[in-house]
Amino acid sequence: MRKFAAHFLFPGNEKPIAKGTVQVDSSGLILDIIKPTGPFREEAGLEFHNGIICPAFVNVYHEFEPARFYRKFPALRPFESLCPERLNTEKDLLGWLKAIQMDNQNISLEQLIRIFTLDSAKSISLDKELGSIEKGKRPGLMLISGMDYQKLRLTENSHLKMLI
């Protein structure tokens, strides 16, 4: 079993959890999500990371023709011009999220992560397995760091690392 914690856990299906911990087995199955009730405490075997932990992005951009993609995800329509030419990897998707957040102060990181995780998984009927950090799922975990933690916003220095 592995335990991961960070400044914030963005489960995708609920509000961010400050100093949340996620426990996974060796296959990446989510065993538990722990919401702290008091001050954060270190414990043996816990990996604490600077940043936010969220489910792996579900890249559905190439699953739909562009017009259909923006009908399914209308919140992204205003940012179509910011979409990079390549959207093959999680890093490419993060590049689009960074561009969106730097262009628009009103769209939240929570909303963007939900679009690229749970909403995307739902759009291709894979939300039983992917898209959110919930017990019994194997969504993969990503760490996004190098951001403005006070405002929970991405910056040009934001980057990601796959945890599992």
Side-chain angles (χ1 to χ4, degrees), residues 10 75 106-117 119:
F10 277 55
N106 296 322
I107 193 160
S108 72
L109 184 56
E110 179 183 355
Q111 180 183 4
L112 286 173
I113 287 176
R114 182 181 173 94
I115 290 169
F116 284 90
T117 58
D119 293 351

Side-chain angles (χ1 to χ4, degrees), residues 113-164:
I113 287 176
R114 182 181 173 94
I115 290 169
F116 284 90
T117 58
L118 187 57
D119 293 351
S120 292
K122 284 180 178 179
S123 76
I124 55 173
S125 301
L126 289 178
D127 55 307
K128 299 274 188 252
E129 184 74 14
L130 305 175
S132 60
I133 300 173
E134 296 179 66
K135 287 182 188 179
K137 286 188 168 188
R138 284 185 181 84
L141 297 177
M142 298 187 318
L143 173 71
I144 301 174
S145 55
M147 52 185 285
D148 181 338
Y149 298 106
Q150 300 290 0
K151 296 179 182 174
L152 287 180
R153 298 200 54 87
L154 299 172
T155 69
E156 61 186 34
N157 298 320
S158 298
H159 55 280
L160 69 80
K161 173 183 172 183
M162 294 302 295
L163 297 174
I164 51 170

Side-chain angles (χ1 to χ4, degrees), residues 78-79 82 98-105 153:
F79 310 108
L82 301 173
K98 288 177 2 181
I100 290 169
Q101 281 228 301
M102 288 189 273
D103 183 68
N104 185 308
Q105 293 298 310
R153 298 200 54 87

Side-chain angles (χ1 to χ4, degrees), residues 22-24 28-33 133-137 139 141:
V22 60
Q23 295 179 349
V24 299
L29 180 72
I30 306 294
L31 301 173
D32 202 6
I33 296 114
I133 300 173
E134 296 179 66
K135 287 182 188 179
K137 286 188 168 188
L141 297 177

Side-chain angles (χ1 to χ4, degrees), residues 4-65:
F4 299 96
H7 289 104
F8 288 93
L9 180 64
F10 277 55
N13 63 335
E14 62 180 279
K15 293 285 182 199
I17 303 165
K19 306 289 193 281
T21 301
V22 60
Q23 295 179 349
V24 299
D25 72 7
S26 60
S27 73
L29 180 72
I30 306 294
L31 301 173
D32 202 6
I33 296 114
I34 300 162
K35 300 175 184 178
T37 55
F40 182 78
R41 295 178 189 204
E42 291 188 37
E43 58 182 88
L46 176 68
E47 294 180 31
F48 185 86
H49 295 275
N50 290 321
I52 65 168
I53 293 174
C54 65
F57 294 143
V58 180
N59 190 349
V60 297
Y61 185 77
H62 299 292
E63 297 287 324
F64 305 103
E65 300 152 9

Side-chain angles (χ1 to χ4, degrees), residues 61-87:
Y61 185 77
H62 299 292
E63 297 287 324
F64 305 103
E65 300 152 9
R68 191 164 168 238
F69 174 83
Y70 292 108
R71 277 197 305 274
K72 284 211 166 273
F73 304 100
L76 296 178
R77 167 73 70 189
F79 310 108
E80 184 175 2
S81 65
L82 301 173
C83 182
E85 285 184 34
R86 245 186 57 175
L87 278 180

